[in-house]
Amino acid sequence: LLLIGLCGFMGACCEAMILLKAYMGFLIVIMLLEIIMAVGCVAMKSTVETYATNRTIEMIGYYGVEAQDEAGVITATLDLVQENFACCGVDGPQDWNVYSAEYEGTFHVPTSCCKEANRDDSTCGNATVYTENDYINMDGCKTSLWNFIETNLLYVGILCGAICILQISILIIVSKFRTTLEDEDYANF
Protein backbone atom coordinates (compact mmCIF):
# COMPACT_ATOMS: atom_id res chain seq x y z
CA LEU A 1 0.00 0.00 0.00
CA LEU A 2 2.90 2.33 0.70
CA LEU A 3 4.24 1.78 -2.81
CA ILE A 4 0.82 2.42 -4.32
CA GLY A 5 0.47 5.67 -2.38
CA LEU A 6 4.02 6.65 -3.31
CA CYS A 7 3.24 5.90 -6.95
CA GLY A 8 0.26 8.28 -6.85
CA PHE A 9 2.17 10.95 -4.93
CA MET A 10 5.20 10.87 -7.23
CA GLY A 11 2.97 10.76 -10.30
CA ALA A 12 1.14 13.90 -9.16
CA CYS A 13 4.23 15.81 -8.00
CA CYS A 14 6.41 14.94 -10.99
CA GLU A 15 3.50 14.97 -13.42
CA ALA A 16 4.54 11.50 -14.56
CA MET A 17 1.75 10.09 -16.67
CA ILE A 18 2.88 6.46 -16.35
CA LEU A 19 2.83 6.68 -12.54
CA LEU A 20 -0.64 8.22 -12.54
CA LYS A 21 -1.94 5.51 -14.86
CA ALA A 22 -0.33 2.83 -12.67
CA TYR A 23 -1.88 4.44 -9.58
CA MET A 24 -5.32 4.44 -11.19
CA GLY A 25 -4.85 0.82 -12.20
CA PHE A 26 -3.88 -0.15 -8.66
CA LEU A 27 -6.93 1.68 -7.25
CA ILE A 28 -9.24 -0.14 -9.65
CA VAL A 29 -7.70 -3.53 -8.79
CA ILE A 30 -7.97 -2.82 -5.03
CA MET A 31 -11.62 -1.80 -5.38
CA LEU A 32 -12.41 -4.94 -7.37
CA LEU A 33 -10.68 -7.11 -4.76
CA GLU A 34 -12.66 -5.41 -1.99
CA ILE A 35 -15.92 -6.06 -3.83
CA ILE A 36 -14.99 -9.70 -4.48
CA MET A 37 -14.06 -10.23 -0.82
CA ALA A 38 -17.28 -8.61 0.42
CA VAL A 39 -19.44 -10.72 -1.89
CA GLY A 40 -17.43 -13.83 -1.00
CA CYS A 41 -17.89 -13.28 2.74
CA VAL A 42 -21.63 -12.80 2.36
CA ALA A 43 -22.03 -15.73 -0.03
CA MET A 44 -19.86 -18.07 2.02
CA LYS A 45 -21.05 -17.06 5.51
CA SER A 46 -21.63 -20.63 6.67
CA THR A 47 -18.23 -21.75 5.34
CA VAL A 48 -16.52 -18.85 7.09
CA GLU A 49 -18.39 -19.65 10.30
CA THR A 50 -17.41 -23.34 10.11
CA TYR A 51 -13.78 -22.47 9.39
CA ALA A 52 -13.63 -19.98 12.29
CA THR A 53 -15.26 -22.52 14.64
CA ASN A 54 -12.81 -25.27 13.67
CA ARG A 55 -9.77 -22.99 14.04
CA THR A 56 -10.97 -21.80 17.45
CA ILE A 57 -11.48 -25.38 18.62
CA GLU A 58 -7.94 -26.10 17.41
CA MET A 59 -6.69 -23.08 19.39
CA ILE A 60 -8.44 -24.37 22.52
CA GLY A 61 -6.47 -27.59 22.08
CA TYR A 62 -3.22 -25.57 22.07
CA TYR A 63 -4.18 -23.38 25.05
CA GLY A 64 -1.41 -23.41 27.65
CA VAL A 65 0.64 -26.04 25.78
CA GLU A 66 4.12 -24.52 25.45
CA ALA A 67 5.19 -26.80 22.59
CA GLN A 68 2.41 -25.45 20.34
CA ASP A 69 2.03 -21.98 21.86
CA GLU A 70 5.63 -20.96 22.50
CA ALA A 71 5.05 -17.22 22.77
CA GLY A 72 1.72 -17.60 24.58
CA VAL A 73 -0.13 -15.86 21.74
CA ILE A 74 -2.93 -18.42 21.54
CA THR A 75 -3.47 -18.35 25.29
CA ALA A 76 -3.46 -14.55 25.39
CA THR A 77 -5.81 -14.31 22.39
CA LEU A 78 -8.37 -16.74 23.80
CA ASP A 79 -8.21 -15.06 27.22
CA LEU A 80 -8.72 -11.64 25.63
CA VAL A 81 -11.71 -12.80 23.55
CA GLN A 82 -13.35 -14.56 26.51
CA GLU A 83 -12.85 -11.58 28.81
CA ASN A 84 -14.00 -8.92 26.33
CA PHE A 85 -17.05 -10.81 25.04
CA ALA A 86 -18.02 -12.37 28.41
CA CYS A 87 -18.04 -15.88 26.97
CA CYS A 88 -16.40 -19.26 27.47
CA GLY A 89 -15.29 -21.78 24.84
CA VAL A 90 -16.75 -21.94 21.34
CA ASP A 91 -20.23 -23.21 22.20
CA GLY A 92 -19.88 -23.05 25.99
CA PRO A 93 -17.58 -24.05 28.87
CA GLN A 94 -17.95 -27.74 28.00
CA ASP A 95 -15.59 -27.16 25.05
CA TRP A 96 -12.67 -26.85 27.45
CA ASN A 97 -13.48 -30.28 28.89
CA VAL A 98 -13.58 -31.84 25.41
CA TYR A 99 -10.95 -30.06 23.28
CA SER A 100 -8.31 -28.71 25.67
CA ALA A 101 -5.30 -30.82 26.59
CA GLU A 102 -4.89 -28.81 29.78
CA TYR A 103 -8.51 -29.02 30.98
CA GLU A 104 -9.65 -32.30 29.41
CA GLY A 105 -11.78 -34.33 31.79
CA THR A 106 -11.42 -31.85 34.67
CA PHE A 107 -14.63 -29.82 34.17
CA HIS A 108 -12.51 -26.73 34.91
CA VAL A 109 -12.12 -23.69 32.67
CA PRO A 110 -9.56 -20.87 32.39
CA THR A 111 -10.01 -17.89 34.70
CA SER A 112 -10.83 -15.78 31.63
CA CYS A 113 -14.18 -17.63 31.52
CA CYS A 114 -15.15 -16.08 34.85
CA LYS A 115 -17.57 -13.19 34.96
CA GLU A 116 -15.75 -9.89 35.28
CA ALA A 117 -16.67 -9.32 38.92
CA ASN A 118 -15.35 -12.76 39.90
CA ARG A 119 -12.05 -13.07 37.99
CA ASP A 120 -10.03 -12.46 41.15
CA ASP A 121 -12.07 -14.98 43.14
CA SER A 122 -10.02 -18.09 43.91
CA THR A 123 -13.11 -20.31 43.61
CA CYS A 124 -13.65 -19.38 39.97
CA GLY A 125 -12.14 -21.00 36.88
CA ASN A 126 -9.46 -23.57 37.63
CA ALA A 127 -10.57 -24.18 41.21
CA THR A 128 -14.19 -25.26 40.78
CA VAL A 129 -16.13 -27.49 38.42
CA TYR A 130 -17.82 -25.14 35.94
CA THR A 131 -21.18 -26.94 36.13
CA GLU A 132 -21.44 -26.01 39.83
CA ASN A 133 -20.13 -22.47 39.50
CA ASP A 134 -22.41 -19.45 38.99
CA TYR A 135 -19.39 -17.22 38.38
CA ILE A 136 -18.65 -18.72 34.95
CA ASN A 137 -19.91 -17.22 31.67
CA MET A 138 -22.04 -19.98 30.18
CA ASP A 139 -22.44 -18.48 26.68
CA GLY A 140 -20.12 -19.66 23.95
CA CYS A 141 -17.88 -17.17 22.18
CA LYS A 142 -19.31 -18.10 18.77
CA THR A 143 -22.71 -16.78 19.82
CA SER A 144 -21.23 -13.70 21.48
CA LEU A 145 -19.05 -12.85 18.47
CA TRP A 146 -21.87 -13.31 15.95
CA ASN A 147 -24.13 -11.11 18.08
CA PHE A 148 -21.40 -8.47 18.18
CA ILE A 149 -20.92 -8.67 14.41
CA GLU A 150 -24.65 -8.46 13.69
CA THR A 151 -25.02 -5.54 16.10
CA ASN A 152 -22.20 -3.61 14.43
CA LEU A 153 -22.84 -4.69 10.83
CA LEU A 154 -24.57 -1.40 10.01
CA TYR A 155 -21.53 0.56 11.16
CA VAL A 156 -19.20 -1.70 9.18
CA GLY A 157 -21.39 -1.21 6.09
CA ILE A 158 -21.35 2.57 6.53
CA LEU A 159 -17.57 2.54 6.95
CA CYS A 160 -17.11 0.36 3.85
CA GLY A 161 -19.42 2.63 1.88
CA ALA A 162 -17.47 5.71 2.97
CA ILE A 163 -14.18 4.07 2.00
CA CYS A 164 -15.64 3.09 -1.37
CA ILE A 165 -16.88 6.65 -1.99
CA LEU A 166 -13.45 7.99 -1.00
CA GLN A 167 -11.71 5.60 -3.39
CA ILE A 168 -14.06 6.52 -6.25
CA SER A 169 -13.51 10.23 -5.51
CA ILE A 170 -9.74 9.76 -5.58
CA LEU A 171 -10.04 7.81 -8.82
CA ILE A 172 -12.08 10.63 -10.41
CA ILE A 173 -9.62 13.30 -9.18
CA VAL A 174 -6.61 11.37 -10.49
CA SER A 175 -8.37 10.80 -13.80
CA LYS A 176 -9.17 14.50 -14.11
CA PHE A 177 -5.61 15.44 -13.19
CA ARG A 178 -4.23 12.99 -15.76
CA THR A 179 -6.57 14.38 -18.43
CA THR A 180 -5.49 17.93 -17.57
CA LEU A 181 -1.82 16.97 -17.85
CA GLU A 182 -2.41 15.27 -21.19
CA ASP A 183 -4.25 18.35 -22.48
CA GLU A 184 -1.36 20.59 -21.38
CA ASP A 185 1.17 18.30 -23.08
CA TYR A 186 -0.94 18.33 -26.26
CA ALA A 187 -1.25 22.13 -26.18
CA ASN A 188 2.56 22.51 -25.87
CA PHE A 189 3.20 20.79 -29.19
Side-chain angles (χ1 to χ4, degrees):
L1 289 176
L2 178 67
L3 292 176
I4 294 169
L6 189 61
C7 181
F9 177 75
M10 294 303 292
C13 288
C14 300
E15 296 181 357
M17 206 60 60
I18 188 75
L19 289 176
L20 288 174
K21 288 179 181 178
Y23 182 66
M24 287 177 57
F26 284 133
L27 283 180
I28 291 170
V29 168
I30 289 171
M31 284 179 54
L32 289 174
L33 288 174
E34 289 172 352
I35 291 168
I36 290 169
M37 286 176 44
V39 169
C41 283
V42 170
M44 299 176 62
K45 180 183 175 187
S46 63
T47 305
V48 170
E49 183 178 353
T50 302
Y51 178 81
T53 300
N54 291 339
R55 294 297 71 78
T56 307
I57 287 171
E58 184 179 342
M59 287 173 60
I60 287 175
Y62 298 152
Y63 185 91
V65 179
E66 286 186 34
Q68 292 150 331
D69 187 18
E70 293 175 10
V73 175
I74 293 172
T75 301
T77 301
L78 286 172
D79 285 343
L80 190 66
V81 168
Q82 291 182 147
E83 288 171 1
N84 287 332
F85 290 98
C87 59
C88 187
V90 176
D91 295 311
Q94 68 276 5
D95 291 337
W96 289 99
N97 187 40
V98 177
Y99 302 116
S100 173
E102 185 174 344
Y103 295 100
E104 186 175 4
T106 64
F107 292 96
H108 293 170
V109 293
T111 306
S112 59
C113 283
C114 297
K115 294 178 180 173
E116 188 172 358
N118 306 102
R119 285 201 190 109
D120 296 329
D121 189 345
S122 62
T123 62
C124 188
N126 294 321
T128 309
V129 175
Y130 72 84
T131 55
E132 301 168 2
N133 194 337
D134 293 333
Y135 299 152
I136 301 291
N137 291 310
M138 298 306 282
D139 292 333
C141 291
K142 182 166 81 171
T143 304
S144 297
L145 283 170
W146 282 115
N147 288 342
F148 177 79
I149 289 169
E150 288 175 1
T151 302
N152 293 299
L153 201 54
L154 175 64
Y155 302 117
V156 171
I158 290 170
L159 179 66
C160 290
I163 290 171
C164 189
I165 289 170
L166 179 67
Q167 287 177 325
I168 291 170
S169 300
I170 291 171
L171 195 58
I172 290 169
I173 291 168
V174 170
S175 178
K176 178 66 177 156
F177 184 66
R178 184 184 59 85
T179 305
T180 303
L181 288 177
E182 285 177 345
D183 289 346
E184 286 178 6
D185 286 345
Y186 184 73
N188 290 336
F189 281 117

